[in-house]
Amino acid sequence: MKTSYELDKEKILEIIGKKASFLPKKIVEELISKIIAKRLSLEEAEKVIELAAQQYISSLIEPGEAIGTVTAQSIGEPGTQMTLRTFHYAGVRELNVTLGLPRFIELVDAKKTPSTPIMYIYLKDEYKNDREKALEVARKIELTTVDNVTLEVSTDPYTNSIMIRLDPEFLEDKGVSVEQVANVLKKYGDVRISDEDPYMVIISTNESDVFRLEKLKNKILKTRIKGIKGIKRAIVRRTGDEYVIVTDGSNLRSVLKLREIDPYRTYTNNIKEIEEVLGIEAARAALIREMANVLKEQGLDVDIRHLILVADMMTYTGTVRQIGRHGVTGEKESVLARAAFEITARHLLDAAARGEEDLLRGVAENVIVGQHMWIGTGRVKLFMKLSRKNEGVSNVSS
Amino acid sequence: MSETKSRKSKSSKSQSASYSFDIFKHELVPKHEIVPIDEAVEILKRLGVKPEDLPWIRASDPAVRAIGGKPGDIIRVIRKSPTAGEVVVYRYVIPG
């Protein structure tokens, strides 16, 4: 009994456009798929759309609702249950990720670098199932300094030379040859490999001062042989059906330049880097993602809209600002609100010296002066139209 | 000999640097576009705000630079939202 169905996507869209054009895309899509799946008639479909629109309007936040306070409580209460323990293992034994309360605080404070920066580097389609290639890329980006492959170093003040004995095991592990090491050291002076020991590199410099020779030694040890600055370790991990490189340390700008990787999925947990390389909107998205991830990891169910509000507050000036003294709270317009937060006397004194004005529009300042806050029912004022006085009608206006 | 080698490695580096990267293809970056001036006026009227009341975005922001926005422009951002599917917001380009 399969009669041709009278409604299709276009037709439903048309009805929605007429009756409820304000519905967001997700609800519209859901309506369409449900209506078609249930094979509703035209009248039924219209009724359903009307009801959906009604429901949508009635669940909108009322004007004047103190959403900031609701958000603060909705994050704060579950926050009390978060672990104070900093480290959690994220699959790989040797890789730690800060999670829980410390990580959340870090995000909200808009710290420049997270305490455990981590990148997830995805590979291009042609390499993503190739373990060898993944390992090769991982080795390539892992920062290797002379120090990493050195067994011992000594300086000889008589010949102004520095002798470095390299560790064959480390060399093998990092995939570096003695020649490569010798090559990067060329800028410091004459480099030769010792005749007696193939792993001994001798650098003859023209530095005659003992202290400066010592200084040069330290500089040499920090010299980069290969890799990307900031990437301390790179581990290949299988996630789903592909190999992903997870790194300890982060350098988004440089990693994005690699050819073997998929730059469009590569991710770092360093919000500041995302802001610099991908812009404020990406930083906002990453903030939400990171915050949601922390809460999910702890098994806490906080509505994502609260996190969105926090991220919006942090990013609406075009840069990521922390929630606190040097950010959202500290840059409040109202003198009294700032004074109520921290260092009361200084804020009042500075404001007095500058002749600042407080318009008493926020919550804190109105609480201080003992007025109604401009929130919820406090937004509504009653007044009487004098001309209508005789009819005994008062008008409500917001 | 070593000189040519190092130069070679340098040139390959600069080559990979010029490798084109479209930031709007990145999964974190939503679509940005400059709103034409007449449309912008209409939007501001509808929202009942002055341009500087909109959220800001710096002119040096990588996304703004990619589409060539200048201070004073209004940028339309079409975000993917977990709650609403798709959300359109506007940002006002500020110098900096």
Side-chain angles (χ1 to χ4, degrees), chain A residues 24-27 122 124 183 186 224 256-259 261 263-267 274-282 284-286 289 303-305 308 312 315-319, chain B residues 2 5 12-13 15-17 19-30 32 54-58 60-63 65 77 79-86 89 91 94:
Chain A
K25 197 178 169 190
K26 199 175 168 191
I27 296 178
Y122 292 85
K124 281 223 172 82
N183 233 333
K186 283 231 165 83
R224 190 179 67 133
L256 285 180
K257 285 173 188 161
L258 294 174
R259 280 146 195 246
I261 63 140
Y264 306 122
R265 288 192 294 157
T266 293
Y267 183 73
I274 294 182
E275 184 195 351
E276 276 162 25
V277 180
L278 300 172
I280 191 74
E281 279 291 328
R284 193 196 87 105
R289 190 162 147 174
D303 194 290
I304 193 149
R305 274 161 274 217
I308 293 176
D312 274 337
T315 55
Y316 84 85
T317 56
T319 40
Chain B
S2 73
K5 213 175 185 180
S12 79
K13 229 184 237 168
Q15 223 173 40
S16 58
Y19 154 77
S20 75
F21 170 65
D22 176 8
I23 78 165
F24 295 114
K25 278 196 196 155
H26 196 281
E27 58 176 8
L28 283 175
V29 186
H32 292 57
L54 294 171
W56 299 342
I57 190 164
R58 285 177 308 152
S60 60
D61 192 275
R65 274 203 307 216
V77 181
R79 293 177 187 153
K80 292 222 164 24
S81 155
T83 50
E86 201 173 84
V89 293
R91 280 188 187 262
I94 55 163

Side-chain angles (χ1 to χ4, degrees), chain A residues 214-251:
Chain A
E214 203 63 31
K215 242 186 187 165
L216 188 67
K217 185 188 91 183
N218 290 328
K219 213 172 151 193
I220 283 173
L221 285 178
K222 284 199 200 104
T223 307
R224 190 179 67 133
I225 302 171
K226 61 170 192 171
I228 291 172
K229 209 178 144 208
I231 308 284
K232 276 175 250 149
R233 214 158 50 225
I235 293 157
V236 174
R237 197 202 291 177
R238 191 159 178 96
T239 312
D241 62 342
E242 61 183 316
Y243 289 102
V244 180
I245 299 169
V246 186
T247 67
D248 175 8
S250 170
N251 190 340

Side-chain angles (χ1 to χ4, degrees), chain A residues 81-184:
Chain A
Q81 298 165 42
M82 279 200 256
T83 33
L84 294 168
R85 243 183 69 203
T86 318
F87 289 115
H88 269 248
Y89 302 123
V92 188
R93 190 152 38 92
E94 57 267 64
L95 212 72
N96 281 319
V97 196
T98 310
L99 283 173
L101 198 60
R103 175 63 181 151
F104 206 87
I105 290 171
E106 218 169 72
L107 287 167
V108 161
D109 277 349
K111 287 231 298 198
K112 277 219 174 62
T113 44
S115 57
T116 50
I118 274 189
M119 288 192 81
Y120 295 90
I121 303 168
Y122 292 85
L123 297 166
K124 281 223 172 82
D125 284 346
E126 57 259 45
Y127 303 132
K128 72 181 188 185
N129 288 310
D130 186 348
R131 190 181 151 80
E132 286 307 307
K133 187 78 190 173
L135 281 170
E136 189 195 313
V137 177
R139 252 191 188 172
K140 198 171 105 182
I141 62 176
E142 199 171 68
L143 182 71
T144 309
T145 57
V146 175
D147 197 22
N148 291 138
V149 290
T150 302
L151 200 61
E152 60 173 337
V153 200
S154 50
T155 52
D156 182 355
Y158 296 107
T159 56
N160 297 332
S161 59
I162 296 168
M163 276 130 1
I164 300 173
R165 191 194 302 279
L166 301 171
D167 187 317
E169 259 175 58
F170 285 157
L171 283 175
E172 164 100 38
D173 183 47
K174 302 275 185 192
V176 181
S177 67
V178 180
E179 284 72 31
Q180 255 175 308
V181 179
N183 233 333
V184 293

Side-chain angles (χ1 to χ4, degrees), chain B residues 16-67:
Chain B
S16 58
S18 66
Y19 154 77
S20 75
F21 170 65
D22 176 8
I23 78 165
F24 295 114
K25 278 196 196 155
H26 196 281
E27 58 176 8
L28 283 175
V29 186
K31 196 175 165 203
H32 292 57
E33 58 191 31
I34 300 173
V35 181
I37 182 76
D38 40 334
E39 211 181 314
V41 171
E42 202 180 291
I43 288 160
L44 291 174
K45 215 169 151 191
R46 179 164 52 94
L47 298 174
V49 295
K50 293 190 271 326
E52 61 271 22
D53 294 335
L54 294 171
W56 299 342
I57 190 164
R58 285 177 308 152
S60 60
D61 192 275
V64 174
R65 274 203 307 216
I67 55 170

Side-chain angles (χ1 to χ4, degrees), chain A residues 23 44 112-113 145 207 233 262 277-278 293 342 363 376:
Chain A
L23 286 180
E44 284 170 330
K112 277 219 174 62
T113 44
T145 57
E207 208 69 76
R233 214 158 50 225
D262 178 358
V277 180
L278 300 172
N293 182 36
E342 254 180 7
V363 173

